[in-house]
Amino acid sequence: MATFLYRMGRTAFQRRWLVALLWTVILGAVAFGAAKAPAASDNGTSFMPGIEAQKAFDLIGERFPGSDANGAGARIVFVAPDGEKVTAAGHRAAIDALVTEAADEPQVASAVSPFTAGAVSKDGSTAYATVNYKVKAADLTDADKAALEKAVDVARASGLTVEVGGTALAEQPAAGGSSEAVGIALAAVVLLITFGSLAAAGLPLLTAVIGVGISMASIMALGSVFGLSLTTGTLATMLGLAVGIDYALFVVSRYREERAGGHGPREATGLAVGTAGSAVVFAGLTVVIALAGLSVVGVPMLTKMGLCAAGAVVVAVLIALTLVPALLGMWPDAVLSRRARKGGGPARPADNGGSRWARFVLRRPLAVLLVCIAGLGALALPATHLEMGMPGAESKPVSSTERRAYDALADGFGAGFNGPLTIVADVRGADDAKAAATEIAQEIGATHGVVSVSPARFNQAGDTALFSAVPATGPNDERTKDLVQTIRAKRPGLERTTGATFEVTGSTAMDIDVAQALQDALVPYLSVIVALALLLLLVVFRSVLVPVKAAFGFLLSVLAALGSVVAVFQWGWGAQLLGVEQTGPIMSLMPIFLVGIVFGLAMDYEVFLVARMREAYVHGDRAPQAVVTGFRHSARVVVAAAVIMIAVFSGFVGADESMIKTIGFGLAVAVLFDAFVVRMALVPAVLALLGDRAWWLPRWLDRLLPHVDVEGAGLTASRELSGAPAGSEPAPQEPARI
């Protein structure tokens, strides 16, 4: 592996203009394809096939064609001034005028007045009108939204308080934006401080941006074929940028080190790609495993996001191995520090902050280990109280009209009105379809916790009935979750007595089912990626205990991050400091995202740091000295990479959307814990306690495992056999190990 990559790096250096031209052509080709490709069509693929709420939703679409269930909707809430009622003549006229004006818009499928639908609160203070659109929220034009906003402003002028809930006017999430720009700016500062050279800082940024551009253009070009979108590529953008910077950073850092050791530009490039490039390859593989493993969760959208992000990581690895050495060939001295360009300074620093920290840990490994475990364990405790859900309008800032509409409906109609349950009854097996539907509705209406049940609405064939049940509690209340299970538990008895069956769906039931399904999938997903990564690390480090230690450290950091998320976003500890106005359940996808992404990044740091220790050990250092050597050469770069990651993810904490804020915070603290507590403290402490046993591998297993030579032992041996002096340009002999 090391020799192959060594040759690749030298070839890319020598044929730098050809390599640069090839990547330019690739970027241009995918950009042209993205520009010419038709927009991705939404074929209505189920969010999570197999759960009851999704099956019921699909049944509604099948039995009630043209019901516009997937179209955008707006629930316009009217609140009369204190002491007045919305049924007063003036207020009623203003409401009717708004409904009439909204109904005249070409994209509106229906607009229902509250006085027609009986959507007026008992005290007459609150009412709501429903506007349904023919297209989805993402397809509404600015003109469509402006027309609705204009009608709302006219109604407000009459003295009514008017707020708009639903999806029609809600902010649509978009990939990219200021968060990435802030992350790039912070990364540039960190790189400049780390390298002390504008060129060295700019090269990783340039190659990372090129990689993200290729990845996103490819997603757009293939969007119509595979149902991809910019939203699908959000994770690819985030991770492609982060790992693209990190991988180039490690190659450039090793190149500078080899140049300081007296090697010429071409030889230093080959050695950098042969050694650091090997770590890049296996670090990238661990990230790809974690992302591709998202397919086991069973969510098509999550599978697409994971595979797209995995593709972005592969592109980042290829760029680090080819384009980075090509650019080093164009400007071989530009990435060096000013002192190195002038020929001054020591070839290899004998000591630095990394080695001093390693010696500190080596002197007291047990104390450091216990402090790390105790600290992360304490932070992980809140994770035992994790509640998953899908935060809705109640989690938005009170400054948003969606949140104010949510609160107004809760005040006027009750907390459960914002999360009604939709019941779809399949009455094909009943002798009397209407009687069966009536009995089902009456039984559900008599359930404790149900406030009201609407009259049943039949489809044209008369074999399916649809009605809604309003709970007494809010969508994210634990009692609502219990109510859904209670209603479903009545199904066998009703099926025996009526010959009909029913299913429960709606946004509230969907969120409950998704949360439960994702919670059930978390352990299998974690098991799959940990098992595959353990096998990969076993091959890389040729050790039994090092991979186990890596997995243990990851579990500590990810559980501590989950505990921190629960403490802030569910319990509200320090929530105001982050601008969190409403606490509640953690987004259902958050734990899966956190486990997958952090696992990949954690193994990145593990490979980069421990591979250098393994290299020193293979080349003759004793076990304790190998730890010091690894930290001397890699600690600063690992810290810089982690700070860049934290900066990129922290940019999302300032977002208005609670879900984005939660993801940004969770990823930032997870990288903080993993890089600075686990990899920088727990790892050297464990290796110090294990000593030479850390690198133990049974002989029978050593014979079975392939030899990939990540540490470059074969490369070093071939150069020594050829008698190559420092700075020469030999062609290495074929090593014994591949």
Side-chain angles (χ1 to χ4, degrees):
M1 171 67 77
T3 303
F4 171 77
L5 294 177
Y6 169 86
R7 290 174 171 171
M8 178 184 291
R10 286 167 56 90
T11 301
F13 183 98
Q14 182 178 0
R15 301 184 179 180
R16 46 193 173 271
W17 294 107
L18 177 60
V19 172
L21 178 62
L22 286 175
W23 280 109
T24 303
V25 169
I26 291 173
L27 179 60
V30 293
F32 178 80
K36 295 297 183 180
S41 60
D42 191 340
N43 56 10
T45 302
S46 299
F47 176 76
M48 180 175 277
I51 61 175
E52 177 174 326
Q54 184 65 61
K55 291 189 290 185
F57 185 82
D58 295 340
L59 181 63
I60 293 173
E62 176 188 340
R63 302 284 181 87
F64 292 84
S67 61
D68 298 313
N70 292 324
R75 181 176 280 179
I76 307 172
V77 185
F78 308 93
V79 181
D82 291 342
E84 300 182 23
K85 295 184 177 182
V86 293
T87 53
H91 297 324
R92 181 166 187 152
I95 294 172
D96 286 337
L98 184 152
V99 173
T100 301
E101 185 173 350
D104 290 338
E105 292 300 316
Q107 293 288 13
V108 173
S110 63
V112 182
S113 168
F115 309 111
T116 302
V120 180
S121 64
K122 292 181 180 180
D123 61 4
S125 65
T126 310
Y128 67 90
T130 303
V131 179
N132 293 314
Y133 288 84
K134 301 174 184 176
V135 297
K136 295 191 173 185
D139 298 326
L140 288 176
T141 64
D142 291 340
D144 296 328
K145 297 179 181 179
L148 181 59
E149 290 170 344
K150 179 182 177 182
V152 168
D153 289 338
V154 172
R156 283 174 179 159
S158 69
L160 289 167
T161 297
V162 186
E163 305 296 347
V164 184
T167 59
L169 298 184
E171 292 280 341
Q172 296 299 314
S178 60
S179 297
E180 283 81 353
V182 171
I184 291 175
L186 292 174
V189 173
V190 173
L191 289 169
L192 187 59
I193 294 173
T194 302
F195 286 135
S197 164
L198 285 173
L203 191 149
L205 292 174
L206 173 63
T207 54
V209 170
I210 291 173
V212 170
I214 291 173
S215 301
M216 291 304 297
S218 301
I219 291 171
M220 295 173 64
L222 299 174
S224 60
V225 178
F226 297 104
L228 309 178
S229 65
L230 285 177
T231 302
T232 308
T234 302
L235 185 60
T237 302
M238 185 188 303
L239 281 184
L241 181 62
V243 301
I245 294 174
D246 279 3
Y247 295 164
L249 167 66
F250 277 89
V251 173
V252 172
S253 177
R254 188 60 182 259
Y255 170 81
R256 284 161 54 105
E257 184 182 322
E258 297 297 340
R259 287 294 303 274
H263 295 291
R266 184 183 176 193
E267 181 70 5
T269 301
L271 291 172
V273 176
T275 52
S278 297
V280 165
V281 169
F282 285 97
L285 277 176
T286 60
V287 182
V288 169
I289 287 172
L291 294 170
L294 289 171
S295 58
V296 307
V297 177
V299 182
M301 182 193 71
L302 203 57
T303 299
K304 292 177 183 179
M305 292 182 72
L307 293 178
C308 287
V313 173
V314 171
V315 171
V317 170
L318 294 176
I319 284 180
L321 299 179
T322 56
L323 183 58
V324 169
L327 294 177
L328 290 175
M330 294 178 185
W331 299 282
D333 295 331
V335 299
L336 303 179
S337 65
R338 182 177 300 178
R339 175 180 295 181
R341 289 198 298 270
K342 293 180 179 180
R348 292 180 185 270
D351 207 4
N352 58 23
S355 58
R356 286 192 293 270
W357 169 254
R359 291 192 186 98
F360 171 83
V361 176
L362 290 176
R363 286 195 296 269
R364 47 189 68 80
L366 185 59
V368 172
L369 178 63
L370 293 177
V371 168
C372 291
I373 293 176
L376 293 177
L379 290 169
L381 286 177
T384 59
H385 300 280
L386 173 67
E387 296 178 7
M388 296 200 300
M390 291 298 289
E394 78 282 358
S395 65
K396 293 180 178 292
V398 292
S399 58
S400 67
T401 186
E402 296 99 320
R403 170 64 184 276
R404 294 195 297 268
Y406 180 96
D407 292 341
L409 284 172
D411 292 339
F413 296 90
F417 193 80
N418 284 296
L421 305 175
T422 300
I423 316 296
V424 54
D426 187 347
V427 294
R428 288 182 300 182
D431 296 331
D432 188 334
K434 291 186 178 181
T438 300
E439 184 174 345
I440 291 173
Q442 289 176 346
E443 182 66 23
I444 292 175
T447 304
H448 178 71
V450 174
V451 174
S452 63
V453 174
S454 68
R457 176 167 65 94
F458 283 84
N459 62 344
Q460 288 186 350
D463 59 4
T464 310
L466 197 64
F467 54 91
S468 63
V470 177
T473 50
N476 287 313
D477 195 299
E478 285 295 321
R479 290 171 292 180
T480 304
K481 298 179 183 179
D482 295 337
L483 175 63
V484 171
Q485 302 308 322
T486 300
I487 292 175
R488 288 172 173 168
K490 294 176 177 289
R491 181 163 46 215
L494 286 170
E495 189 170 359
R496 286 193 299 270
T497 58
T498 65
T501 187
F502 69 89
E503 292 175 329
V504 183
T505 186
S507 60
T508 300
M510 184 74 76
D511 293 345
I512 292 171
D513 288 355
V514 167
Q516 186 61 51
L518 290 175
Q519 187 171 339
D520 294 341
L522 185 58
V523 173
Y525 170 60
L526 187 60
S527 302
V528 168
I529 63 172
V530 168
L532 290 175
L534 282 175
L535 180 61
L536 182 63
L537 293 178
L538 185 66
V539 173
V540 173
F541 295 128
R542 310 200 68 74
S543 163
V544 173
L545 298 178
V546 169
V548 174
K549 176 264 306 171
F552 174 71
F554 156 72
L555 290 175
L556 275 179
S557 59
V558 78
L559 288 176
L562 269 178
S564 300
V565 169
V566 170
V568 173
F569 292 91
Q570 188 175 307
W571 293 356
W573 293 2
Q576 292 183 348
L577 298 176
L578 298 179
V580 179
E581 299 183 13
Q582 181 70 34
T583 59
I586 305 304
M587 184 183 67
S588 300
L589 294 175
M590 176 62 191
I592 293 284
F593 268 127
L594 194 66
V595 168
I597 297 173
V598 174
F599 181 83
L601 300 181
M603 294 304 105
D604 263 9
Y605 302 137
E606 178 76 12
V607 171
F608 287 136
L609 188 62
V610 181
R612 198 58 190 268
M613 298 177 191
R614 169 75 179 171
E615 180 181 339
Y617 184 78
V618 169
H619 291 166
D621 281 2
R622 296 184 60 191
Q625 183 57 38
V627 174
V628 176
T629 302
F631 267 79
R632 177 187 299 124
H633 292 295
S634 299
R636 185 179 66 163
V637 184
V638 169
V639 167
V643 171
I644 289 171
M645 290 281 189
I646 294 170
V648 171
F649 295 143
S650 295
F652 293 90
V653 177
D656 292 332
E657 284 288 334
S658 175
M659 291 184 291
I660 298 176
K661 190 187 295 287
T662 306
I663 292 174
F665 175 82
L667 293 178
V669 297
V671 172
L672 176 67
F673 296 151
D674 194 87
F676 292 99
V677 180
V678 173
R679 308 304 154 189
M680 288 291 157
L682 187 144
V683 166
V686 172
L687 292 179
L689 292 172
L690 291 176
D692 289 325
R693 289 169 296 180
W695 309 108
W696 170 77
L697 185 70
R699 291 184 179 179
W700 63 269
L701 187 56
D702 183 63
R703 290 192 297 269
L704 290 177
L705 293 176
H707 291 264
V708 295
D709 189 25
V710 176
E711 64 277 354
L715 174 60
T716 302
S718 65
R719 295 183 74 256
E720 290 175 350
L721 287 174
S722 66
S728 63
E729 308 287 340
Q733 300 175 3
E734 191 66 31
R737 298 193 233 178
I738 299 176

